[in-house]
Amino acid sequence: MRYNEKELRALSQQPAEMAAELSMRGPKKGSVAKRRLVKLVVNFLFYFRTDEAEPLGALLLERCRVSQEEPGGFSISFIEDPERKYYFECCTQEQCQEWMEALRRASYEYMRCSLIFYRNEIQKMTGKDPLEQFGISEEARFQLSSLPRDRRAACVGTQLDELD
Amino acid sequence: MTRCSGVGTGPGTMKLNERSLAFYATCDAPVDHAGFLHKKGGRHTASHRRWFVLRGNMLFYFEGPGSREPLGVIVLEGCTVELVEAAEEFAFAVRFTGAHARCYALAAESQAALEGWVKALSRASFHYLRLVVRELEQQLAAMRGTGGDGEVTVPPRRPKENGCCSAVWSAEPPAAGPRCPPLPPRRRRASTPDRPPDSAPFAQLHEWYGQEVRALRGQWLGGQTQP
């Protein structure tokens, strides 16, 4: 699969939501844990050798599952293959908790869900669609129908309405 | 599956979780935009007609709509989308900034398709989405801040509204409605006794309300399994 590597590298140099030196181990059997600089930028997790400016790699954080692994450690896996895990070890359980929360909220899909949630909240409180001021109220990507079915109910509770 | 690599393989090529990327590209959640576009390979090469699928801030392209794996993906952070003067009709470009930055020359197959794509791609970045979310978060926080203990003062034309889970009991109970949920006079704490603080981050609110919705559904549906 081709991709615009230059732009992705440029993205890795941007200010990060979270950055830390963690111990990281890849999913391949027999892989060894190594110290890496790990940086969360938008919905990508970049990882660098600790003394290098260019990233070794990136993980796109869509459809991922973040799990606690022993105290102070967590893993990232993806829905299609939940046993194939990238392991990370933090200095403290606190740091681990911080990372897990940040990573769970890092996806575009999660951000989209929050937008729909807030939009609905504000609309219920004011009777007005807050996206109108931006001229994007008709934008397909911000409608409830853009979400997978199983996320719609949690976002705005309309599934219960329909059952009445 | 071939290993994902940037344009130009060799030492120093970044790794990317290409397998997951391919699954994300082809999963059955709704897409943000899709259609045929003509993509120019390079400055002096011909265009190829490809099937493009926009999901979030990722623009995937396939041989055709039935392809199981994308040929490639364009990460849409830090780009502009602009109409261009070209030999081809309905031409536009996705342009990145910076030295030696890539410019993708694309062409749609109709005026309507052109407009649809330009609109969809201009607003596709994560950065843009986050800006809007933050704005709404602030608006909501400001509104709640003026609500005393945080309980929303409800305007008369929407007497049922009161927080996220109002949808649970937003319908007036019909005279005979065996399937209607119980309608309490005010918000009821279901299984979770503590309200999150009104300034709680979305993640907490999302989780908390999701729990309550699930619990209430369980209760009034008599524990039937949901489809």
Side-chain angles (χ1 to χ4, degrees), chain A residues 2-5 7 9 17 43 56-58 60 78 80 110 112 117-118 121 124 133 139 141 161 164, chain B residues 6 12 14-15 17 20-21 32 57 71-73 75 96 120 123 130 137 139 144 164 170-171 202-203:
Chain A
R2 293 165 69 87
Y3 69 98
N4 48 334
E5 180 172 332
E7 282 71 38
R9 285 175 181 275
E17 281 86 75
N43 52 345
L56 276 171
L60 174 70
F78 297 89
E80 74 275 358
Y110 182 90
R112 187 209 304 268
F117 173 84
Y118 287 130
E121 284 299 283
K124 285 191 302 198
Q133 70 191 126
E139 190 87 5
R141 72 173 67 237
D161 272 336
D164 281 326
Chain B
M14 262 180 76
K15 288 191 225 181
N17 54 330
S20 308
L21 222 66
D32 290 315
N57 58 347
L71 291 169
V73 63
V75 179
F96 291 88
R123 292 180 185 139
R130 188 163 56 189
E137 248 176 343
Q139 282 187 23
R144 289 204 170 132
C164 165
S170 65
F202 170 75

Side-chain angles (χ1 to χ4, degrees), chain A residues 8 10 25 37 45-46 53 83 101 105 112 118 128 133 137 158 160:
Chain A
L8 200 55
R25 181 160 62 92
L37 171 62
L45 188 68
F46 294 99
E83 292 314 305
E101 278 166 22
R105 288 178 255 164
R112 187 209 304 268
Y118 287 130
K128 285 201 289 199
Q133 70 191 126
S137 48
T158 54
L160 293 159

Side-chain angles (χ1 to χ4, degrees), chain A residues 85-140:
Chain A
K85 296 179 174 183
Y86 295 80
Y87 293 90
F88 298 84
E89 259 180 61
C90 304
C91 297
T92 62
Q93 176 55 27
E94 234 166 24
Q95 187 190 35
C96 180
Q97 198 62 41
E98 224 190 310
W99 272 96
M100 290 197 296
E101 278 166 22
L103 291 167
R104 284 179 182 135
R105 288 178 255 164
S107 67
Y108 188 100
E109 295 308 319
Y110 182 90
M111 190 67 64
R112 187 209 304 268
C113 209
S114 353
L115 185 148
I116 291 169
F117 173 84
Y118 287 130
R119 179 189 192 181
N120 191 257
E121 284 299 283
I122 293 171
Q123 188 145 24
K124 285 191 302 198
M125 284 169 74
T126 64
K128 285 201 289 199
D129 179 357
L131 295 190
E132 263 166 39
Q133 70 191 126
F134 302 118
I136 53 176
S137 48
E138 300 308 307
E139 190 87 5

Side-chain angles (χ1 to χ4, degrees), chain A residues 64-81:
Chain A
C64 75
R65 176 184 301 176
V66 181
S67 315
Q68 178 84 51
E69 302 281 343
E70 310 186 2
F74 66 90
S75 66
I76 299 175
S77 61
F78 297 89
I79 294 182
E80 74 275 358
D81 198 350

Side-chain angles (χ1 to χ4, degrees), chain A residues 36-59:
Chain A
R36 294 286 180 248
L37 171 62
V38 178
K39 248 179 113 169
L40 174 61
V41 183
V42 296
N43 52 345
F44 282 94
L45 188 68
F46 294 99
Y47 49 97
F48 304 70
R49 284 204 183 91
T50 53
D51 57 349
E52 286 180 3
E54 290 298 319
L56 276 171
L59 298 176

Side-chain angles (χ1 to χ4, degrees), chain B residues 169 182-184 186-192 208 212 216 219:
Chain B
W169 39 72
L183 199 79
R186 40 186 301 141
R187 291 193 81 250
R188 184 178 65 193
R189 286 107 169 89
S191 55
T192 48
W208 190 81
E212 184 166 330
L216 287 160
Q219 281 174 37

